[in-house]
Amino acid sequence: MRLLLNTLLLLAMTNIYAQHSLKGLVVDNKTNESLAFTNIYLSDLEKGTITDENGQFSLENLPSGNYKMVVSILGYETKSLTVNIPNLQFIEIRLEYSAIEMEDIIISTPFHKLQSENVMKVERASVENLNANGAVNLTEGISNIAGVESVTTGLSIGKPVIRGLSSNRVLVYTQGVRLENQQFGSEHGLGVSSNGVESVEVIKGPASLLYGSDALGGVLYLNPEKFAQDNTSSGDVSGNYYSNTQGFNTSAGYKSSENNFKLLFRGSLTEHSDYDTDEYRVTNTRFREQDFKAGIGYQVNTFKTEFRYNVNNSKLGIPEEIGVQSTLKTPMLGYQNITNHVFSSKSTIFFNNSKLDINLGYIYNDRKEFEDEHHHDEDEEGHEEHEEEEHHEDEHDEDHEILVPSLQMKLKTANYDVKYTLPQLGKFETIVGVQGMNQVNTNYGEEQLIPDATTNDFGVMGTSHIHFEAIDIQLGARYDNRNINVVSGLNRDFNSFNGALGFKTNIFKNLTARVNFASGFRAPNLAELTSDGIHHGSNRYEVGNADLNNEQNFQTDIALEFKNEHVEFFVNGFYNKVNDYIYLSPNGNTIDDTPVYDYIQNDAKLYGGEVGVHIHPHPIHWLHIESSFETVTGKQANDEYLPLIPANSLSNVLRVEFEKPWLKNGYTFVKLASTFNQNNVSTFETSTDGYNLLSAGFGGSFNLFKNEATLSISGTNLTNKTYINHLSRLKPDGIFNMGRNINIGLKYQL
């Protein structure tokens, strides 16, 4: 590997001083009028600019080669084209008027194409839009994406569910590297702040071809905010207030680009008190999150690199029962104190018609859990009052003898992802690569949930995108090996071959069809193999099974999409067969008055899909009516239902967009989200009733003290409905989800 990298670096040096430029003009295809402030972006180089008042642009210091250029402006169809440097020195780009919203490059798939060009269906949403619609945090925001829900423990702890699969079956990527933070636990959240995250992409279905083990159910890909454009700088401060929790989220950031160097940093602080359900506050759902992100990039001709760092510290209350009613923001015992460090490096070496991508990551996760040691020494009412008083005397001193973590695990993960994009051969675009991971788990607390162990992954893959006039085909294959070595002596190897095949074609001018077949796998995690103790966060005694096999699945996806100037319509359907599905089942015994659950396996199947329509009648381009329905059913081979399957849901949104002399990008919306009864439950799971939640909001940008300010005001659950979401881990105790919340946000550009 080292010899290969050295050879490629030497080859890159032959072109390092070749500097080229590209100039161009962007015009309306019908009127020939120049289009000012059009976005020009070379996705391969991550280099962009905007056109001036005359529709002209210039890009400097470009290396030789073929690069994808994306041209976009509101009100016109986004255009993707390939430019050859230095053969092309001037280009005129003609855009077609369109009421369809602008497209963005999809980063989570290997060929980095617009969604309209992708063979695989990927959902994408900007974090700014999710927040504007009233999302309190990232977990709540992604639940607004079709086919995605969240398993939640109160407000602070949540993890994604993609078409009924979650935990280690959904892989999360942040800063271009896989996020590892003990995600096996259902009460273990993402540990990522939405501040400094630009957009979210969701691959719904097996993505083991691209990412290996743990991508059996899909991928949640978090794109960090971009660096500043060449020779520019900017800063911003923002704040959000949430009425329900009397909480706030503040953020400040700065980024600059000059002389081939780029840098950015962002810090944020979030605090919430216990959320209110209208009938009571849910005790100890309060939390505090501190987050800092920084990045530095360097680009010169045929080489670009960037290094990013994120540290997130979260102090999260663990709710158990309704007790003390308080608006204090520091968690009571028990709580989690989690510090997560993410180091990532992303580099690209460009050759004349090919490139080498090298992504490296290191994640250091320090998880501490503190419990109430005096719970059994006092009566319940006296305990609650004493705990509230005593805890807040010593809450800031974690070295106090009482605050010794009952559970502390440190997870250190190093991973690499090296991909080589071959020169395009006729109609073939091809990528080959290797990926791997070394992971060490170490215990330091009084209790042990999972043992000390080392995990090593290695995978090799290849995939091709084939362009024909009437159809696009994507195919690929991959081999993976995972070794888990436990200090107790258990040593297991897991191997899997996986593949994917997909087709995209335009059945008619405005009707696109996608059909994808993909297999995926997941090796059992440490908890499933080795658990032997009480998992306090779940109130059960878990017993692992050292003989578990790989989960192996095969999924078929069919997607139809229709678009014209008046309406967009989509239908997505899937069937997912999972062999040796791993799940917990009570065996009827108890230990220390705690029910005992065993990890067992059985074949399973999941099926369902999403259907939606977006009406934007021309020429009433300011009016948007959106409606979508999603459904998923999960069953075991014995026809019993799987647990934690989201209820069917229907979303209806009326949105109006407008411009005023004093207001830019103005909008207002009303949303009715309907969730239906969930009676298809597993043997040991309770059903839930349906409910309707009403939301509304408005916002826009305006000039304030010569700089731009953006205001957003939104309200969720405006009727203050008391309800229980089927994926709430507080459901067995009959605890309601959050009531009415008004969110006021202001962002100011410096």
Side-chain angles (χ1 to χ4, degrees):
M1 177 60 67
R2 180 177 297 176
L3 178 61
L4 173 63
L5 293 178
N6 288 338
T7 302
L8 293 170
L9 283 169
L10 287 173
L11 289 171
M13 292 297 292
T14 61
N15 291 325
I16 200 163
Y17 294 108
Q19 297 183 5
H20 308 290
S21 63
L22 174 65
K23 299 182 185 299
L25 173 68
V26 182
V27 299
D28 184 300
N29 190 45
K30 290 185 178 179
T31 66
N32 290 320
E33 293 181 359
S34 60
L35 298 177
F37 310 118
T38 302
N39 296 301
I40 311 294
Y41 188 63
L42 296 176
S43 58
D44 296 318
L45 299 173
E46 296 186 35
K47 195 178 185 72
T49 186
I50 60 173
T51 58
D52 60 20
E53 294 180 352
N54 299 314
Q56 298 176 343
F57 69 90
S58 178
L59 291 165
E60 307 292 336
N61 300 325
L62 303 178
S64 300
N66 293 313
Y67 302 106
K68 184 180 299 296
M69 174 184 284
V70 177
V71 185
S72 61
I73 185 174
L74 188 65
Y76 288 84
E77 183 177 340
T78 299
K79 191 165 190 174
S80 173
L81 61 156
T82 299
V83 295
N84 180 272
I85 307 297
N87 292 340
L88 184 66
Q89 297 179 357
F90 179 86
I91 184 172
E92 180 179 283
I93 303 168
R94 309 184 73 85
L95 298 184
E96 297 284 352
Y97 172 81
S98 173
I100 298 173
E101 296 180 359
M102 292 189 300
E103 288 189 86
D104 290 283
I105 290 287
I106 300 298
I107 304 299
S108 56
T109 53
F111 297 100
H112 292 185
K113 297 181 179 296
L114 296 174
Q115 180 53 54
S116 59
E117 303 171 319
N118 245 357
V119 172
M120 183 183 297
K121 176 68 174 176
V122 179
E123 302 288 349
R124 184 186 185 280
S126 75
V127 170
E128 183 178 4
N129 288 340
L130 296 178
N131 291 340
N133 288 332
V136 176
N137 52 32
L138 186 60
T139 301
E140 185 178 349
I142 63 175
S143 299
N144 291 317
I145 299 173
V148 183
E149 293 289 343
S150 293
V151 175
T152 62
T153 306
L155 182 63
S156 62
I157 302 173
K159 60 198 324 167
V161 178
I162 299 179
R163 288 176 167 174
L165 297 177
S166 62
S167 297
N168 278 88
R169 299 181 180 96
V170 172
L171 187 60
V172 178
Y173 256 62
T174 181
Q175 298 178 190
V177 297
R178 59 185 292 160
L179 179 66
E180 294 290 325
N181 62 354
Q182 305 284 15
Q183 62 265 37
F184 67 88
S186 57
E187 80 289 4
H188 297 174
L190 280 178
V192 179
S193 169
S194 61
N195 295 297
V197 176
E198 186 168 292
S199 62
V200 177
E201 296 176 14
V202 180
I203 300 176
K204 295 182 289 190
S208 291
L209 168 66
L210 306 178
Y211 298 106
S213 179
D214 301 347
L216 175 144
V219 174
L220 176 66
Y221 200 97
L222 309 177
N223 291 314
E225 66 176 303
K226 293 186 177 73
F227 288 100
Q229 292 186 355
D230 291 350
N231 301 311
T232 64
S233 62
S234 64
D236 65 81
V237 293
S238 64
N240 285 267
Y241 174 76
Y242 307 91
S243 65
N244 184 284
T245 61
Q246 300 181 21
F248 64 86
N249 176 351
T250 59
S251 173
Y254 175 80
K255 53 186 174 182
S256 178
S257 174
E258 187 175 358
N259 297 329
N260 299 325
F261 282 96
K262 303 177 181 181
L263 65 88
L264 60 79
F265 61 83
R266 181 169 299 281
S268 62
L269 172 64
T270 301
E271 287 192 343
H272 289 271
S273 60
D274 298 340
Y275 74 79
D276 191 6
T277 67
D278 186 42
E279 295 189 8
Y280 47 76
R281 289 192 177 274
V282 180
T283 307
N284 211 25
T285 53
R286 64 194 76 170
F287 68 96
R288 173 187 174 93
E289 179 186 60
Q290 298 165 285
D291 188 85
F292 177 76
K293 294 181 173 73
I296 184 170
Y298 176 73
Q299 184 167 346
V300 55
N301 303 312
T302 58
F303 176 74
K304 70 180 179 72
T305 186
E306 68 178 56
F307 173 81
R308 291 181 186 256
Y309 169 66
N310 174 214
V311 57
N312 181 282
N313 176 258
S314 300
K315 197 171 184 179
L316 313 171
I318 302 176
E320 294 181 355
E321 58 186 17
I322 304 303
V324 174
Q325 297 293 288
S326 170
T327 56
L328 295 173
K329 294 183 173 61
T330 301
M332 303 162 54
L333 292 170
Y335 66 86
Q336 301 174 353
N337 193 330
I338 306 164
T339 303
N340 202 52
H341 302 267
V342 180
F343 302 84
S344 65
S345 167
K346 185 171 74 169
S347 301
T348 304
I349 304 167
F350 296 96
F351 308 103
N352 279 337
N353 294 299
S354 63
K355 65 175 181 175
L356 179 71
D357 293 299
I358 305 169
N359 290 354
L360 306 174
Y362 180 77
I363 298 93
Y364 173 41
N365 179 263
D366 185 3
R367 174 178 293 274
K368 300 176 184 177
E369 295 189 8
F370 297 86
E371 298 173 7
D372 180 8
E373 298 293 336
H374 305 288
H375 181 76
H376 301 290
D377 297 334
E378 306 174 54
D379 65 275
E380 184 173 346
E381 182 178 358
H383 157 70
E384 290 171 351
E385 294 176 355
H386 175 69
E387 181 185 65
E388 185 80 358
E389 294 170 0
E390 181 187 71
H391 178 68
H392 287 287
E393 290 175 1
D394 301 311
E395 61 193 3
H396 299 296
D397 182 11
E398 290 192 4
D399 293 327
H400 193 282
E401 60 180 359
I402 295 179
L403 296 182
V404 174
S406 59
L407 178 70
Q408 182 177 11
M409 298 181 290
K410 294 184 179 180
L411 188 69
K412 302 174 183 178
T413 307
N415 52 52
Y416 60 88
D417 181 357
V418 181
K419 290 190 176 74
Y420 180 61
T421 303
L422 280 66
Q424 186 163 338
L425 182 63
K427 301 179 182 297
F428 283 77
E429 290 181 82
T430 301
I431 295 174
V432 295
V434 294
Q435 294 172 323
M437 178 183 77
N438 171 262
Q439 185 175 86
V440 178
N441 184 72
T442 311
N443 285 274
Y444 294 88
E446 297 174 351
E447 301 177 6
Q448 180 174 296
L449 185 60
I450 58 174
D452 295 354
T454 300
T455 302
N456 283 293
D457 279 1
F458 175 77
V460 57
M461 55 83 70
T463 181
S464 292
H465 189 118
I466 312 168
H467 306 267
F468 295 103
E469 288 187 10
I471 193 171
D472 281 65
I473 300 173
Q474 187 171 320
L475 53 87
R478 178 183 180 114
Y479 169 77
D480 282 278
N481 169 264
R482 169 169 285 188
N483 173 264
I484 299 178
N485 189 357
V486 185
V487 292
S488 62
L490 176 67
N491 193 308
R492 291 288 308 274
D493 272 291
F494 301 93
N495 303 282
S496 184
F497 284 96
N498 289 282
L501 174 64
F503 306 88
K504 181 187 79 75
T505 186
N506 292 328
I507 300 177
F508 303 110
K509 179 182 178 181
N510 297 317
L511 181 62
T512 301
R514 293 179 174 88
V515 180
N516 281 274
F517 308 95
S519 67
F521 87 105
R522 183 181 73 89
N525 60 45
L526 275 176
E528 295 162 338
L529 292 169
T530 64
S531 288
D532 188 12
I534 296 176
H535 192 169
H536 294 284
S538 302
N539 294 318
R540 60 187 175 223
Y541 193 106
E542 299 181 1
V543 179
N545 182 351
D547 297 322
L548 292 173
N549 298 317
N550 276 344
E551 290 183 338
Q552 190 76 45
N553 78 327
F554 182 82
Q555 180 166 314
T556 302
D557 278 279
I558 300 176
L560 294 174
E561 188 174 25
F562 175 84
K563 287 186 177 183
N564 66 15
E565 62 181 356
H566 303 292
V567 66
E568 300 173 48
F569 178 77
F570 69 87
V571 179
N572 305 325
F574 74 95
Y575 184 88
N576 188 4
K577 179 72 167 61
V578 185
N579 294 327
D580 291 322
Y581 183 92
I582 301 170
Y583 63 100
L584 277 167
S585 177
N587 62 19
N589 299 323
T590 60
I591 297 178
D592 295 333
D593 296 324
T594 304
V596 179
Y597 281 68
D598 295 327
Y599 281 101
I600 59 178
Q601 290 186 298
N602 196 356
D603 293 347
K605 58 185 177 182
L606 298 99
Y607 52 89
E610 306 88 36
V611 57
V613 62
H614 178 186
I615 301 171
H616 41 77
H618 181 71
I620 314 174
H621 57 272
W622 46 265
L623 178 63
H624 298 262
I625 302 171
E626 301 177 45
S627 182
S628 64
F629 173 79
E630 55 190 86
T631 179
V632 59
T633 299
K635 288 186 175 183
Q636 300 178 41
N638 59 12
D639 228 27
E640 292 184 2
Y641 289 103
L642 294 175
L644 294 177
I645 299 298
N648 295 345
S649 62
L650 174 67
S651 173
N652 294 286
V653 180
L654 174 65
R655 182 181 178 91
V656 173
E657 298 174 347
F658 54 90
E659 297 280 341
K660 298 290 183 181
W662 50 273
L663 187 69
K664 295 189 302 181
N665 302 319
Y667 68 90
T668 183
F669 74 91
V670 177
K671 176 181 178 180
L672 180 64
S674 301
T675 301
F676 300 95
N677 297 339
Q678 178 55 296
N679 297 316
N680 298 334
V681 296
S682 68
T683 305
F684 308 99
E685 189 180 27
T686 57
S687 60
T688 49
D689 295 330
Y691 51 89
N692 297 293
L693 299 180
L694 180 66
S695 304
F698 63 91
S701 300
F702 54 93
N703 288 327
L704 180 65
F705 305 123
K706 298 183 179 180
N707 289 323
E708 184 177 271
T710 302
L711 175 69
S712 63
I713 299 177
S714 61
T716 56
N717 192 5
L718 290 174
T719 62
N720 221 9
K721 174 74 174 179
T722 53
Y723 72 98
I724 299 177
N725 185 285
H726 189 70
L727 299 187
S728 169
R729 294 186 61 255
L730 305 182
K731 178 184 65 167
D733 297 319
I735 296 176
F736 295 128
N737 285 76
M738 191 165 71
R740 181 190 299 116
N741 179 55
I742 305 299
N743 173 20
I744 302 173
L746 180 65
K747 181 177 181 180
Y748 186 66
Q749 299 288 342
L750 301 176

